Amino acid sequence: MRTLAAAFAHFGGVPMTIVYDRTKTVVRSHVAPGEAVPLHPEAVGFAGHYDFDIDVLAAYRPTGKGRVERQVLIVRDHVLSGRSFSSVEEKDTALTTWVPQRRAQAHRTHQQIIGERAARDHMTLKPLPEIPYLVVERHLRPVGKDCLVAFGGNLYSVPARRVRPRQLVEIPATKSQIMLHSTVAGSSGETLLATRPRAIGRGVRVVEEAHWDGLPTGKGRRTTTGDVLPQPRRERPRGEEAGPLQALLNRAAAAHIEVGRRPLSVYDELTGTRPFTTHPSTRETS
């Protein structure tokens, strides 16, 4: 969308129709032949702002805009091949130097001078709107337990009193700014949570400390410092109330049955065996 907006500004107008292939920035999902193609809402809004129609190519039609694709090869062969550039500005200078040469040639299809045909085509363009379209990226991101939202490798804070952990927030982002919106409007109907400058690089935390108001501080939790050793569990005497389970066992008759004990020698007498002893003849002599 940004590239098209720059092209409109360069040529000073907008065409009646733009032909698109099935790119995901325009087509939301692929459908069977003959069915209506679902368009991306951002593409529809962009086309409505500049007042042009969207024409989506049919599937498996690689020659639908072959002339456009051919221009890419021409620029690559005449401007880029065999050359190296140290900056984007140097590459743009090489392209603008070559364009007058290209426009002085006759087109192989209609046999007209390219520059003269371009001038007539420019006269048919629609005028540009007074306000350019603000092209933004739209993403959904979950909120962490610390009220931070990860986007583009960086963290941005949102008000703790207006969100909950794992809640999804919508992020419309431009090159210099991001806005964080709640997917559910508040009591006043407002969805905007915060507006922040877009961080440069990765690993940056863009935080407003006031957003953390309302988070648990941890002061109400039991903590140990290591200086006081934990006390051993006290054995409760029989009959003392120790909870529902112990009370149930105390009421059960099986809990009061005395279990008799007998020495192991009694079992030896019953089985006719004696404890194991070593025979004198098997003892080792030193």
Side-chain angles (χ1 to χ4, degrees), residues 93-169:
T93 302
L95 179 62
T96 54
T97 304
W98 170 80
V99 165
Q101 304 175 15
R102 175 63 177 169
R103 291 187 172 181
Q105 299 175 358
H107 198 277
R108 293 185 180 181
T109 301
H110 49 67
Q111 300 301 323
Q112 300 179 19
I113 302 300
I114 296 177
E116 297 176 359
R117 177 63 181 266
R120 292 199 300 269
D121 291 343
H122 289 170
M123 295 177 62
T124 63
L125 296 177
K126 295 181 178 181
L128 290 171
E130 296 181 0
I131 302 175
Y133 187 82
L134 179 61
V135 180
V136 298
E137 308 169 16
R138 296 185 183 273
H139 305 269
L140 288 176
R141 293 291 186 272
V143 179
K145 293 182 179 180
D146 50 3
C147 292
L148 296 179
V149 180
F151 174 73
N154 303 305
L155 295 174
Y156 301 87
S157 65
V158 291
R161 298 186 183 276
R162 297 185 57 186
V163 296
R164 64 181 186 277
R166 305 304 303 171
Q167 175 183 336
L168 290 177
V169 296

Side-chain angles (χ1 to χ4, degrees), residues 278-285:
T278 303
H279 196 274
S281 62
T282 61
R283 296 177 182 175
E284 296 182 357
T285 57

Side-chain angles (χ1 to χ4, degrees), residues 248-258:
L248 178 62
L249 293 175
N250 292 340
R251 292 196 302 268
H256 303 284
I257 297 176
E258 297 291 337

Side-chain angles (χ1 to χ4, degrees), residues 50 119 178 209 222 225 237:
Y50 285 100
I178 73 166
E209 294 188 0
R222 296 183 59 184
T225 60

Side-chain angles (χ1 to χ4, degrees), residues 2 4 106 159 213-214:
R2 290 193 182 96
L4 274 179
D213 294 343

